[in-house]
Amino acid sequence: MSDEIRKDTTQGKIKDFETKSQALKLMGGEKQIAKQHEAKKLTARERIDLFFDEGTFQEVQLFVQHRSTLFGLDKKEIASDGVITGFGNVNGRVVFVAAQDFTSAGGSLGEMHAKKIWKVMDMALDARKPFVSLNDSGGARIQEGVHSLEGYGGIFYRNTICSGYIPQIHAIMGPTAGGAVYSPALADWIFMVKNSSYMYITGPDVVKAVIGEEVSHEDLGGAVAHASKSGVCHVVTESDADCIEKIKKLLSYLPDCCDNPLPLSESSDSPDRLCTDLDTFIPDKSNRAYDMKKIIKSVADNNEMFETHELWAQNIVTAFIRMMGKTVGVIANNPRFYAGVLDVNASDKASRFIRFCDAFNIPILTFTDVPGYMPGTTQEWAGIIRHGAKLLHAYSESTVPKITVITRKAYGGAYLGMCSKQLGADYVMAWPTAEIAVMGADGACNIIYRSEISKAEDPAAKRAELAAAYEEKFNNPYFAASLGIIEEIIAPRDTRKRIITVLDALKDKKLSRVSKKHTNIPL
Ligand code: HXC
């Protein structure tokens, strides 16, 4: 008698199942895997192994196959139809995932590939857990024609339904071209890997054919281009492993869904810690630059922050920090870049961040040092009115606890735009260095005292004298404090302590708006 297990026995069937599963799990096979590694990319399965806590990944629909018969596909097997889907634990919390595998038909998206993604997105929505997509795909599977397009349509629809309900994070870890870029674009966060990922509507060849422009993949749609020029990419990463690590870090700040509590981390920092470094931080001359990130880090638990859009619209900072272990979203002008002015990109960057925080009940902390909106034709024609309005809208509609700290300049419309009291800030604090006014002293005097200055014997001396009087009246926090526009003037060293106290007081804030379908944010 042979030791071989007969196929028609129970043992034989189990063995057959295991053999088939193992073969499928190899995805595109050894040769394609070697090619993937040569390109300094991990396979989808290796990425999943890095992402989930060991032994927790549960694969869904491993045995799905395409059913296309056109253009030779009837003779081509594509393991798991080129995408691994499932769920598992990330630092103990459930997350759903779709990971496209470039080793199987270039991770191209056909009908069944898309349906697998629909399935895990639907599960994530029903289970109210985050959805993460690891993209590495040649785009719509050309042989499947309109089936592929339908597949994308169903994904876009689900991205939109999930928006504001569960966090959605996309990592671009290889090609993402054509309509495929819009699923990431509809999600909350896009991570890209330097030198091995790119996103564009059309690649360099089409660009050359249509408009005659010559450009490389990397310059057109690489991580740095999208992180610094277009603002499409929120986080640039160095490698696949770094990308996975950073996604896990971001997830650690986020709740599972919009009405679940925020994750609470153990904090080794003290609520009473004084930030004495901040007392000497603001330069004596108010036109000198400083780096706002140092203030954010100084007040944050263990001086840690997770910055998004680090390289784009650097005149405003958006970041997550923790205060006594709980997530807080920070929006802050950064005088180190263009004096912290508000422009089109800064307004877009901050507005989207505010709306994310509000959707997921993350309190908003704003640091203000803003000289105004950027003037000039470039900004006007780019629609600073339309884009700047987003910021007013986003702050006004948000109902989470909102705390504002004015460190220095808070001028004009930009003062209002940076979460002023009238946009619904619950608590506004100002440092003694704050200047809360319609505009800076020189500009104001040039307008209100124009004729007086021009008639003066020494116009420069007269302007200086009038500007000093204006500064004494308005370029300080006391006039605003006397009107109750700010709640408190605080010493910089007390900033962390005061924020923690106010956040604690506001932790049960509940605000409802008039009932309607949704607002109509200026876009
Ligand atoms: C079918 C595809 C594919 C696709 C790649 N493959 N893209 N199969 N449909 N879209 C297959 C290749 O035939 C090859 O199969 C394997 O994947 C690996 O691809 P290579 O070309 O060998 O890899 P590489 O040299 O690294 O080039 C990668 C690439 C290139 C630059 C992404 O494959 C490419 O240009 N692909 C087409 C990109 C594209 O135009 N996509 C359609 C966009 S339109 P074998 O069997 O040889 O291993 C779109 C519309 C969506 O997406 C609209 C939604 C609204």
Side-chain angles (χ1 to χ4, degrees), residues 201-215 220:
I201 297 285
T202 54
D205 293 347
V206 178
V207 171
K208 186 160 184 221
V210 177
I211 59 168
E213 191 178 84
E214 289 203 35
V215 63
L220 181 63

Side-chain angles (χ1 to χ4, degrees), residues 347-348 351 355 383-394 397 519-523:
S347 303
D348 280 7
S351 307
R355 296 194 97 218
I384 184 64
I385 295 172
R386 191 161 47 82
H387 294 274
K390 292 177 194 177
L391 194 57
L392 303 174
H393 189 112
E397 76 169 346
T519 60
N520 184 17
I521 189 164
L523 294 172

Side-chain angles (χ1 to χ4, degrees), residues 1 6 10 13-14 17 37 58 74 149 151 272 301 304 306 408 417 443 462 474 481 493:
M1 279 268 295
R6 274 182 32 209
T10 300
K13 285 177 186 172
I14 291 172
F17 152 71
H37 288 162
Q58 171 66 55
D74 51 338
L149 301 184
D272 297 324
D301 279 5
E304 278 174 14
F306 186 93
R408 193 169 61 179
K462 188 72 188 165
F474 290 131
R493 78 184 89 94

